[in-house]
Amino acid sequence: MGRINSLEELKNLRIRLKENIFKTDRKRVRVCCGTACSAQGSKKIVQTFEEESAQKGMDIEVLMTGCQGLCQKGPVMKVEPYGYFYQKVTYEKVREIISKTFSREAPVRSLLYRESVLDDPIKKMDDLPFYKKQVRIVLRNNGFIDPCNVNHYIAVGGYAAMEKVLSTMTPDQVLEEVKRSNLRGRGGAGFPAGRKWEHCKKSTGKIKFVIANGDEGDPGAFMDRSIMEGDPHSLIEGMLICAYTLNAEYGFIYVRHEYPLAVKNLRIAIKQAEELGLLGEDILRTGMNFYLDIREGAGAFVCGESTALVASIEGNRGFPRPRPPRLSEVGGGLWGYPSNLNNIETYACLPPIIENGAEWFRSIGTENSPGTKVFALTGKVVNTGLIEVPMGITLKEIIYDIGGGIRNNRKFKAVQTGGPSGGCLSEEHLDLPVDYDSLINVGSMMGSGGLVVMDEDNCMVDIAKFFLSFTQRESCGKCPPCRIGTYQMLEILEKITSGNGEEGDIEQLEKIGNLVKSGSLCGLGQTAPNPVLSTIKYFRDEYEEHIKDKYCKAKVCKGLGVYRIDGSECFSCSLCKKACAFDAVNETKDAFYIDRDYCTKCKACYLACPIGAVKIGSRVIPWVIPEQCEGCSDCVHACPVHGLKMYETENEGIFIPWLSDPDLCVSCGKCSAVCSSSGVVLTTHVQEAKQRFLTKRPKGLVIEDEKKKSGYIESGSKNNATESDSVVLIDSDK
């Protein structure tokens, strides 16, 4: 690969490559080889395509592209010139694709996307609901070019923006263009990139650095990784434009060591750019120098914070430090030199802005948040993956139109934006436009672009604990508010989710959370309480339910709720008994029940039951309605613990079932299930029912000693009389 010695040569090269690469009539497959599809075997598919097409003597171009977005259906590919989009492809299907599509020009129907088995398959990628509302600016080349081939990037217009700034714009003009575009940093805070550049540009000193923050540590987020893997030259070009504007000669890309494919593709791209004369000394013979290198981080979340990141590049421990001086000032940046730091997505936005102008960029999105945003859409949606949408789109459009709605037709409960430091929003926010200001106004944040959808099976207290445990674990421990505050908050959450919550815990969480936010040194501590505070704000009833009722309606938190076997559903498979390690599941002649004295609420029986007969919830107890009872005693015979017995009332010959000892009830519900007259129902008002059984017996019903005195007849299989039963009861209905 020869060096390009002028801007004119670069322009001519682009023209030649456009004519020869990506001809529209060429037989070609673009196979997604992003991390998700590679993990599912896409590289084996590529190999099989090459072998099969060579064996059949067919000229098929096989391209390994970056992430195409629809990770849920991977491996995915596009087949040209027909435009077919195939999903869930396996290498065994390659032969069929070649024989049907490339030989007979017909689609392989089983590989086409369809909403349901009743719907017609969708052939073209742009017709898929997942892609319809997306606007791809940053991801414009992902899924289209081979990221390891610089000719591909140049052929689709790559380095044209750099060519434009070097040939027609002064550094000040570039800065003004970026400021006019109102490009806000995509790393989370949303600070305008132009203002940040301007501050760095004004700093004195000949040496300045341009740094790209690729330390993407949010659980489930892979936006920056996909750009580095799928279109590394767009990042390099963006950094070159920044370096030209700031007159910086040195740059670093800080990327996690656990992103091996991103590191590999970046190294290849940097080497190619250096060989072409697009990086290094005297770029394109214009006199501009820019040396770019990679630094791999060890994976600490706090290193995403700017000062900690700089410390890590310098070879020190990734500790944040107070500001000022800011990174853009003398003494504050890398090795004390003024430095500009933006995240990967921000730099990748720059080439299109320079090429198309600031007004074009501002025409997309909202007034204060122009452009698009890349999100990693994960959680309980039908279609998870990588999406790029215009700012201002609503959460409902993202979740339902792009994501395909909630999986298994469950009910939407919440969406978490902004990663582990973001907030959880409820159903009332589904129509909220997604932009920096709207999200902050409701207590959340844009973050780097993680978007996790939750359904009714998620417990919001448990979710808050999960995200707080992540930030607490990742806290560097330098400042006490973050180190101690997050630890204390996590302890309270663990207490609540284990069934030991107390009155005042919610208020304590709010108090500590606000102190941590206001007193922490860096962004990690300042945002760590967000998941807790936002879930308290929008899902306070769930916290109260955990504390007051000792109940988790999502059935997620162990140690909460009463475990019982619903006798009307149980078909006596005994799997629950086998699963219980504490002998809490007892067996009678025709039923199973759980002994609460031995139950540890480990959920083993709940998970073992194949039909869901094991219930977790509030305790239930029978409620006898004398007026509807027919005196058949079916409920008495159904009771596995012989708690219910028949007692005669003051009306001679009239018997009704009654619990002389309510604590015997195991909440199986069999009494209610067999009652044909609704004379026995179940109630969750346990204390009220117990009190009624003990002191408010109807129709002059008496038991034990009174029975002996007056000759009342007991109808039951076992006499469980105790001394405490020796009380003459008052008929409250009289």
Side-chain angles (χ1 to χ4, degrees):
M1 191 178 293
R3 182 184 172 93
I4 305 171
N5 291 309
S6 67
L7 293 168
E8 191 64 25
E9 281 189 31
L10 175 61
K11 186 183 294 182
N12 292 334
L13 174 64
R14 185 177 302 109
I15 293 171
R16 288 200 305 276
L17 292 174
K18 274 185 178 176
E19 291 173 350
N20 296 307
I21 297 179
F22 303 142
K23 290 181 178 177
T24 55
D25 57 347
R26 178 95 189 264
K27 291 179 178 176
R28 181 185 300 117
V29 286
R30 300 180 196 267
V31 184
C32 177
C33 288
T35 295
C37 284
S38 293
Q40 298 181 75
S42 62
K43 289 184 179 172
K44 175 75 173 175
I45 294 170
V46 170
Q47 181 188 348
T48 309
F49 255 116
E50 291 172 342
E51 292 172 354
E52 287 288 331
S53 57
Q55 192 177 0
K56 294 180 183 301
M58 299 181 73
D59 182 21
I60 299 173
E61 184 181 7
V62 184
L63 284 184
M64 298 170 63
T65 75
C67 180
Q68 297 184 12
L70 192 50
C71 306
Q72 180 78 30
K73 304 293 183 184
V76 298
M77 66 168 63
K78 286 178 282 188
V79 184
E80 298 172 351
Y82 320 103
Y84 299 139
F85 178 80
Y86 290 155
Q87 48 139 27
K88 294 186 177 295
V89 183
T90 61
Y91 73 91
E92 292 96 338
K93 285 284 185 181
V94 169
R95 189 171 293 177
E96 186 180 357
I97 294 171
I98 292 175
S99 64
K100 275 191 178 176
T101 304
F102 287 113
S103 298
R104 288 181 279 163
E105 301 186 358
V108 179
R109 289 180 64 85
S110 63
L111 297 178
L112 294 173
Y113 178 91
R114 61 176 74 206
E115 294 275 278
S116 72
V117 291
L118 301 176
D119 294 324
D120 291 330
I122 301 172
K123 297 178 182 176
K124 303 292 178 66
M125 183 179 189
D126 292 339
D127 294 332
L128 264 66
F130 183 80
Y131 293 102
K132 267 186 178 177
K133 289 198 172 181
Q134 292 196 44
V135 177
R136 296 204 151 207
I137 296 175
V138 174
L139 301 177
R140 60 195 180 281
N141 297 324
N142 267 52
F144 193 74
I145 65 170
D146 180 350
C148 297
N149 191 330
V150 66
N151 287 337
H152 284 193
Y153 183 70
I154 294 174
V156 297
Y159 292 107
M162 187 190 76
E163 180 188 311
K164 181 179 178 180
V165 300
L166 289 176
S167 59
T168 63
M169 299 175 76
T170 65
D172 289 338
Q173 287 175 324
V174 179
L175 178 62
E176 285 305 311
E177 193 72 11
V178 175
K179 285 172 64 179
R180 273 203 305 275
S181 73
N182 195 21
L183 171 65
R184 299 177 68 170
R186 269 35 179 175
F191 192 80
R195 285 174 57 191
K196 186 183 278 192
W197 289 20
E198 186 177 36
H199 200 255
C200 185
K201 187 175 172 61
K202 286 179 179 176
S203 294
T204 57
K206 290 184 178 180
I207 298 177
K208 292 178 182 176
F209 288 93
V210 173
I211 305 170
N213 184 354
D215 190 67
E216 189 176 48
D218 298 5
F222 52 97
M223 301 76 61
D224 291 341
R225 188 194 74 198
S226 296
I227 297 168
M228 291 185 284
E229 288 178 354
D231 194 14
H233 283 285
S234 70
L235 167 63
I236 295 173
E237 188 176 5
M239 294 183 74
L240 275 164
I241 293 168
C242 180
Y244 173 76
T245 309
L246 306 182
N247 194 26
E249 290 195 0
Y250 304 98
F252 285 99
I253 301 172
Y254 188 83
V255 57
R256 297 190 145 222
H257 180 71
E258 60 259 46
Y259 282 0
L261 184 59
V263 174
K264 176 191 164 194
N265 289 357
L266 281 171
R267 291 198 190 284
I268 292 172
I270 290 172
K271 185 179 179 186
Q272 290 173 341
E274 288 173 343
E275 290 176 350
L276 280 176
L278 300 169
L279 274 178
E281 186 176 355
D282 196 12
I283 294 171
L284 300 176
R285 306 301 183 203
T286 60
M288 175 184 172
N289 303 324
F290 188 61
Y291 306 93
L292 187 58
D293 204 350
I294 297 172
R295 285 291 182 272
E296 295 181 50
F301 184 68
V302 74
C303 285
E305 198 275 339
S306 57
T307 58
L309 184 149
V310 165
S312 181
I313 292 179
E314 291 172 344
N316 301 316
R317 180 174 175 179
F319 256 3
R321 61 161 176 79
R323 287 170 286 181
R326 300 179 184 281
L327 259 61
S328 53
E329 297 170 332
V330 176
L334 197 56
W335 291 295
Y337 295 105
S339 305
N340 180 77
L341 186 144
N342 287 116
N343 92 320
I344 305 298
E345 186 182 341
T346 311
Y347 284 120
C349 282
L350 288 167
I353 291 174
I354 297 298
E355 279 190 82
N356 302 306
E359 292 307 317
W360 164 81
F361 189 72
R362 291 182 69 100
S363 68
I364 304 165
T366 64
E367 177 66 25
N368 292 324
S369 301
T372 59
K373 181 73 190 79
V374 181
F375 288 101
L377 181 60
T378 57
K380 302 289 186 67
V381 285
V382 175
N383 294 319
T384 58
L386 192 71
I387 64 171
E388 184 176 0
V389 292
M391 296 279 194
I393 192 171
T394 65
L395 286 169
K396 183 184 284 182
E397 289 176 286
I398 292 176
I399 295 168
Y400 287 93
D401 296 344
I402 297 175
I406 308 302
R407 207 179 300 163
N408 300 323
N409 293 321
R410 306 292 289 173
K411 187 181 178 189
F412 168 85
K413 178 182 268 189
V415 57
Q416 207 245 7
T417 67
S421 301
C424 294
L425 305 178
S426 65
E427 192 171 7
E428 66 180 281
H429 300 110
L430 280 176
D431 291 321
L432 184 78
V434 178
D435 59 55
Y436 290 98
D437 304 320
S438 299
L439 290 173
I440 288 173
N441 288 340
V442 294
S444 188
M445 59 189 282
M446 183 76 77
S448 58
L451 212 154
V452 184
V453 180
M454 290 159 269
D455 67 8
E456 56 193 318
D457 290 336
N458 290 108
C459 167
M460 300 314 297
V461 185
D462 183 67
I463 288 291
K465 187 180 76 170
F466 168 76
F467 285 117
L468 187 70
S469 66
F470 175 82
T471 48
Q472 193 274 331
R473 191 171 58 247
E474 292 291 338
S475 171
C476 71
K478 185 174 183 178
C479 66
C482 178
R483 183 181 70 244
I484 300 172
T486 54
Y487 177 78
Q488 290 178 332
M489 291 179 73
L490 187 60
E491 275 196 325
I492 295 173
L493 286 174
E494 286 175 344
K495 191 174 74 169
I496 294 174
T497 53
S498 61
N500 299 310
E502 300 172 286
E503 291 285 346
D505 281 347
I506 299 175
E507 291 73 18
Q508 192 72 0
L509 281 171
E510 290 176 317
K511 181 182 177 183
I512 299 174
N514 288 320
L515 287 172
V516 172
K517 281 171 71 78
S518 60
S520 294
L521 177 62
C522 76
L524 192 154
Q526 290 161 7
T527 56
N530 281 348
V532 181
L533 297 178
S534 63
T535 49
I536 289 176
K537 184 176 182 181
Y538 299 118
F539 301 93
R540 194 182 187 95
D541 58 325
E542 290 198 27
Y543 281 85
E544 291 174 345
E545 200 172 56
H546 281 65
I547 294 170
K548 295 177 182 175
D549 302 334
K550 308 298 179 190
Y551 175 53
C552 171
K553 66 182 174 186
K555 302 177 180 58
V556 172
C557 299
K558 292 180 179 178
L560 289 176
V562 172
Y563 285 61
R564 66 184 184 90
I565 299 173
D566 192 323
S568 63
E569 297 180 20
C570 175
F571 63 93
S572 303
C573 68
S574 77
L575 289 175
C576 55
K577 184 173 177 59
K578 293 173 183 173
C580 183
F582 304 95
D583 287 332
V585 179
N586 292 333
E587 182 179 6
T588 64
K589 181 181 175 183
D590 54 0
F592 287 84
Y593 68 91
I594 296 174
D595 188 333
R596 288 192 298 278
D597 290 337
Y598 290 94
C599 179
T600 61
K601 303 179 181 180
C602 66
K603 292 182 80 172
C605 57
Y606 177 79
L607 298 172
C609 182
I611 58 170
V614 178
K615 309 292 184 185
I616 306 174
S618 300
R619 187 183 173 191
V620 294
I621 195 169
W623 183 278
V624 179
I625 306 174
E627 293 77 11
Q628 295 180 204
C629 176
E630 295 178 349
C632 65
S633 74
D634 285 350
C635 55
V636 170
H637 297 300
C639 181
V641 293
H642 309 300
L644 274 176
K645 297 170 187 175
M646 296 299 288
Y647 296 100
E648 191 173 14
T649 66
E650 64 183 0
N651 300 323
E652 187 176 355
I654 303 297
F655 292 82
I656 61 173
W658 206 250
L659 264 175
S660 60
D661 184 0
D663 288 334
L664 286 176
C665 178
V666 293
S667 303
C668 68
K670 293 196 77 169
C671 52
S672 174
V674 298
C675 182
S676 58
S677 63
S678 300
V680 181
V681 296
L682 299 178
T683 177
T684 57
H685 298 282
V686 176
Q687 293 306 321
E688 186 179 348
K690 278 185 173 182
Q691 189 71 13
R692 180 171 179 257
F693 277 125
L694 293 173
T695 63
K696 296 181 180 179
R697 297 173 181 170
K699 296 184 182 299
L701 184 148
V702 292
I703 59 175
E704 305 309 332
D705 286 353
E706 186 175 357
K707 175 193 70 177
K708 293 173 185 174
K709 290 177 185 175
S710 59
Y712 278 109
I713 301 169
E714 178 184 324
S715 173
S717 57
K718 188 177 178 181
N719 188 345
N720 290 325
T722 63
E723 290 299 322
S724 62
D725 291 324
S726 302
V727 177
V728 177
L729 299 164
I730 300 169
D731 185 352
S732 62
D733 292 340
K734 282 187 175 180

